[in-house]
Amino acid sequence: MQTLAVRGTTRQKVSDADADLDFPGLFQFYYSRIYNYLRYRVDAQEDAEDLSNTVFERAYVHRGGFDAAKGSFSTWLFRIAHNTLANYYRTRERRMAREVEGDLPTDLVTSEPSPEALVIQDEAIAHLLRSLQHLSERDQEVISLKFAGQLSNLEIGQIMGLKEKTVSVVLLRAVRRLQQHLKGDAT
Amino acid sequence: MNEQEVADFFSEQVDRMLGGQMPGILPEEGTLQELLTLAEQLAQVEFQASPAGQAAFQNRLATWFSPTQGRATSEPKSRRWDKMSGKLFALIVSILVTIVTTVATIVIAIVVVVRGVLPGVTPATPIQSPPLIPSVTAPVSPTSPSATETPSVTISPSLTPTVVPTGVSTPTLTPPPTLPGTADAVETITVIVTIEIEVDDLIPGLPPLDDDHDDGGSGDHNRGHGNDPDHHDEDNPGRDH
């Protein structure tokens, strides 16, 4: 049983045992997380939507290959997303800086009610996203899987081929490097 | 705390944060607190697909998992291959059956034709039949002087079954010319020839066969396998009776 939460609010709970019973419901449930993860890694909203469709199409075609005994549905689905993203990067050049420096993406969701706080937060998030691009592929991947995909370290390790303990260290170092970029003293 | 312990603690706090819980008591303030603040900011970043993108996804879901279209549009490859392999297997089996049937038919036809062509088997049969008729019917006839000796023939157990058919041997000998190539005809004629030889040997006073009655069509009816006491067919050495 995994608990899924966004912005401090527990949204839904899904049991892995349901994975082989309700594919439409699971697809529906994981769509936002998959899109969020992909959007962390690609510049354009359209690309993220196309990649999301590709991920779910592959998941649909290969749904017979999912074995709950081998791993959770989220791990299986995010591995497909991970591979889809790798293919995307293989066919395109390494992504460049975001198109409009300083502007927030139009598909970014914010929830702070205060307009003033919202502006401050939006600026901080825009700066955060720009700094993310300066990290290595591995750092971006572990941060995206952790915060956008909301996966456990065990699941991230299964996707990236790392041990759970190693994922903890990689995540800590990645966030540290991101912090250094944010402070402007990246090495 | 070494780096692994700090990393484990950091991950634990991030998981609590993502789970909607407040971070636990930090063992040390400072950099770790700053990292958790940054992690909180990262957790707040959420993108959302456009309404058009979401609608397209919903349409795809409806198409994939509708009871009628889903199976037809995107069936798993393994199942499709299973069906294709089954059809392919059935096709191969049907082709093999057809080939075997055809070959068997051809072989049977060849055997029948060869038997019909060989002089020692089928062609000799209709030619042999005319001179055999008097020799077979004579001892069976009740008016014949030698008929009194006929019972001695029927006494023999081995002859009892063979003599009885000789009375009807005349009609049985008629069909072979119309069916010269059939195996049944060959078998029938073989039996009749055997009867003739045995009757000739066992009935005393029976006039010998007149060679003039033989029209010489084959000229070697005595050479047939029915004449061989070992029942060995010289023309078909592999076919012993």
Side-chain angles (χ1 to χ4, degrees):
Chain A
M1 185 81 72
Q2 41 184 301
T3 303
L4 307 174
V6 171
R7 293 178 182 174
T9 304
T10 302
R11 285 199 307 195
Q12 283 178 280
K13 293 181 179 179
V14 59
S15 169
D16 289 340
D18 296 335
D20 53 352
L21 299 177
D22 184 17
F23 275 101
L26 288 168
F27 281 15
Q28 195 107 0
F29 178 80
Y30 281 102
Y31 178 75
S32 59
R33 286 173 61 184
I34 290 292
Y35 174 81
N36 206 28
Y37 158 73
L38 294 170
R39 189 63 180 87
Y40 256 68
R41 304 297 313 280
V42 300
D43 296 329
Q45 178 181 4
E46 294 77 16
D47 289 348
E49 290 178 355
D50 291 343
L51 287 172
S52 298
N53 289 332
T54 302
V55 168
F56 283 99
E57 188 169 358
R58 289 180 180 177
Y60 174 74
V61 170
H62 299 288
R63 66 189 184 280
F66 168 66
D67 186 0
K70 295 180 180 178
S72 65
F73 180 81
S74 58
T75 303
W76 178 75
L77 189 61
F78 272 92
R79 185 179 288 122
I80 294 175
H82 174 81
N83 294 333
T84 302
L85 198 60
N87 291 335
Y88 171 80
Y89 282 129
R90 271 198 289 268
T91 55
R92 291 188 57 169
E93 290 184 358
R94 183 73 193 275
R95 66 174 180 169
M96 307 297 289
R98 291 194 182 276
E99 298 171 359
V100 183
E101 184 99 2
D103 287 350
L104 279 174
T106 56
D107 55 341
L108 181 64
V109 179
T110 56
S111 62
E112 292 293 333
S114 167
E116 185 177 346
L118 185 61
V119 171
I120 295 173
Q121 180 183 329
D122 287 353
E123 290 177 353
I125 290 174
H127 186 44
L128 187 64
L129 293 175
R130 286 195 300 272
S131 299
L132 265 175
Q133 301 172 46
H134 296 285
L135 299 181
S136 67
E137 282 291 327
R138 191 190 202 192
D139 288 348
Q140 289 184 56
E141 185 67 4
V142 73
I143 287 176
S144 300
L145 289 171
K146 188 66 181 179
F147 295 101
Q150 302 176 20
L151 300 178
S152 67
N153 288 359
L154 178 63
E155 292 172 320
I156 293 172
Q158 290 172 345
I159 293 170
M160 297 182 66
L162 301 173
K163 294 180 180 178
E164 186 178 5
K165 291 282 187 182
T166 306
V167 172
S168 300
V169 176
V170 170
L171 179 64
L172 178 66
R173 291 177 181 176
V175 174
R176 274 179 180 164
R177 275 189 278 269
L178 178 62
Q179 184 188 40
Q180 292 172 354
H181 277 287
L182 287 170
K183 290 181 178 178
D185 57 352
T187 55
Chain B
M1 293 176 69
N2 58 25
E3 186 183 27
Q4 183 66 63
E5 292 172 344
V6 173
D8 292 342
F9 181 79
F10 177 74
S11 291
E12 183 182 339
Q13 300 307 313
V14 169
D15 287 339
R16 287 172 59 91
M17 184 189 306
L18 293 172
Q21 302 174 7
M22 294 299 293
I25 300 173
L26 299 176
E28 56 177 292
E29 296 293 333
T31 56
L32 193 56
Q33 179 61 53
E34 291 178 2
L35 291 177
L36 281 173
T37 303
L38 179 57
E40 192 174 1
Q41 288 180 334
L42 286 168
Q44 289 177 350
V45 176
E46 183 185 13
F47 295 100
Q48 201 169 41
S50 66
Q54 293 184 23
F57 175 71
Q58 296 298 332
N59 288 335
R60 280 175 171 244
L61 275 186
T63 303
W64 288 341
F65 294 104
S66 67
T68 56
Q69 295 177 345
R71 294 173 186 169
T73 54
S74 183
E75 196 172 7
K77 287 182 180 178
S78 58
R79 293 180 185 175
R80 281 183 292 181
W81 171 245
D82 286 345
K83 288 184 178 179
M84 288 178 61
S85 62
K87 292 179 180 177
L88 187 63
F89 179 75
L91 179 64
I92 291 173
V93 168
S94 63
I95 291 174
L96 287 176
V97 167
T98 305
I99 291 174
V100 168
T101 306
T102 306
V103 169
T105 305
I106 292 172
V107 168
I108 290 173
I110 290 173
V111 168
V112 168
V113 168
V114 166
R115 288 188 176 180
V117 170
L118 284 178
V121 187
T122 308
T125 303
I127 297 169
Q128 289 175 348
S129 57
L132 291 179
I133 294 172
S135 64
V136 173
T137 54
V140 177
S141 173
T143 58
S144 173
S146 61
T148 56
E149 297 179 8
T150 303
S152 64
V153 175
T154 57
I155 288 172
S156 172
S158 61
L159 290 175
T160 302
T162 57
V163 170
V164 174
T166 52
V168 290
S169 61
T170 302
T172 56
L173 288 173
T174 308
T178 59
L179 299 171
T182 59
D184 292 337
V186 171
E187 292 294 331
T188 304
I189 292 165
T190 302
V191 171
I192 291 168
V193 170
T194 303
I195 291 167
E196 181 225 341
I197 298 303
E198 290 173 352
V199 169
D200 287 345
D201 292 339
L202 292 174
I203 299 176
L206 193 68
L209 286 173
D210 189 359
D211 292 336
D212 294 338
H213 292 284
D214 192 349
D215 57 5
S218 65
D220 63 346
H221 64 275
N222 291 331
R223 184 178 163 270
H225 62 274
N227 296 329
D228 192 338
D230 296 329
H231 301 285
H232 180 72
D233 187 352
E234 295 173 2
D235 296 325
N236 297 296
R239 188 174 179 271
D240 291 338
H241 295 274

